[in-house]
Amino acid sequence: MDSGKIKVNALNKIVVCAYHNVGYRCIAELIRQGADIRMIFTHEDSPTEEIWFESVRQLAEKHYIPYMTSDINLPENAALLQEIAPDFILSFYYRNMIKPEILSLPGCGALNLHGSYLPRYRGRVPVNWAVINGETETGATLHYMVEKPDAGDIVDQEKVTIEFTDTSFDVFNKVTDAAVTVIARSWPLLVAGTAGRIPMDLKAGNYCGGRKPADGRIDWSKSAVQIYNLIRGVTHPYPGAFMFLNGKKVIIWQAWPVEGSGEPGKVVSAEPLMVGTGNGLLAIKKLQLEGEEETTAEGFSQQYQLAEKFE
């Protein structure tokens, strides 16, 4: 046996719903602890999405764990779950809302690992929202699932710091590490029946909806810091913040807020490329005309005649 493997209680049958790096890493931790995973529900990768994260399906195959990519809520999958009779259902970045009739099946409860320090940033893409809103910390939270999203009792949490230079990708990696810490700490307590339950105070938090690529359009009337937060919140591997130049879409991948003043959207300087905002200037570092290669601001300024204002 692997010396790093911890045996807790193989009698606790688990069904896991998982995707993305958080799903991969949390399943790997459960495997390390000797958990009895009877089935994994995951997703097919979308052809329109940049797949930069690890594959839950490949992890399941590696460890000979049965998996399905169909929705756990389908009637045939509900019947399968009744046959398995799991003690726990665990959800790690699974993208489908799990219906109450499924949540009621496991004998010991259904739990979700959420990528924020709940009750702050309940809902979709919590890491991106935290960065876009200029937060200085977030975290990972393990909580029981109820019909309302991200609203059940909290089992455990771990905070992470958001530095002013962090992108959403940087923060997502920190949150993933925090998620593994929470699972490593909590799973033995859940098995033993000694894990805590702290009621969720929804009034102390907020709920965020999902984001579409179109939501990345820059509003130059906002402050340089706000625009910078949007840029770092949706930069690689996400679709990016964008503007328009002479009717063509331009994605800004990297920028920095600086002191100064200028009319919102107006090019104050070509080299270095500085643009006025509602408060301060935005120094653009890397950008990309749609359909072209990403380039530095210096290269862009030399190649394209800049309009007086970005739209």
Side-chain angles (χ1 to χ4, degrees), residues 45-62:
D45 294 333
S46 171
T48 62
E49 182 176 0
E50 182 178 349
I51 307 301
W52 52 270
F53 41 84
E54 294 179 288
S55 170
V56 167
R57 178 160 50 181
Q58 289 179 7
L59 182 65
E61 291 172 346
K62 177 181 177 181

Side-chain angles (χ1 to χ4, degrees), residues 2 48 73 80 99 134 169 172 206 209 213 222 244 263 289 295:
D2 183 353
T48 62
N73 298 295
L80 175 62
K99 294 181 179 179
F169 179 74
F172 188 84
N206 61 321
K222 292 188 175 182
F244 285 91
E263 182 182 341
L289 186 68
T295 184

Side-chain angles (χ1 to χ4, degrees), residues 15 28 75 83 89 93 98 104-105 134 141 171 174 184 192 206 239 243-244 270 286:
V15 169
E83 289 182 21
I89 290 178
Y93 269 63
I98 302 177
S104 67
L105 292 175
T141 303
V171 179
K174 294 180 183 181
N206 61 321
M243 60 183 182
F244 285 91
K286 293 182 180 180

Side-chain angles (χ1 to χ4, degrees), residues 85-103:
D87 295 291
F88 292 95
I89 290 178
L90 301 178
S91 176
F92 307 131
Y93 269 63
Y94 189 64
R95 292 179 172 180
N96 297 337
M97 290 290 295
I98 302 177
K99 294 181 179 179
E101 50 265 37
I102 301 296
L103 299 179

Side-chain angles (χ1 to χ4, degrees), residues 189-236:
L189 300 180
L190 287 167
V191 169
T194 58
R197 292 186 68 144
I198 303 170
M200 186 94 68
D201 181 7
L202 298 184
K203 293 181 181 179
N206 61 321
Y207 185 88
C208 294
R211 291 187 60 84
K212 305 180 296 296
D215 297 327
R217 183 164 186 174
I218 294 168
D219 178 356
W220 292 105
S221 69
K222 292 188 175 182
S223 72
V225 170
Q226 288 175 306
I227 296 171
Y228 164 73
N229 287 338
L230 171 64
I231 291 167
R232 69 190 180 110
V234 295
T235 191
H236 298 303

Side-chain angles (χ1 to χ4, degrees), residues 21 84 96 138 149 151 180 184 241:
N21 284 351
I84 295 173
N96 297 337
T138 186
V180 176

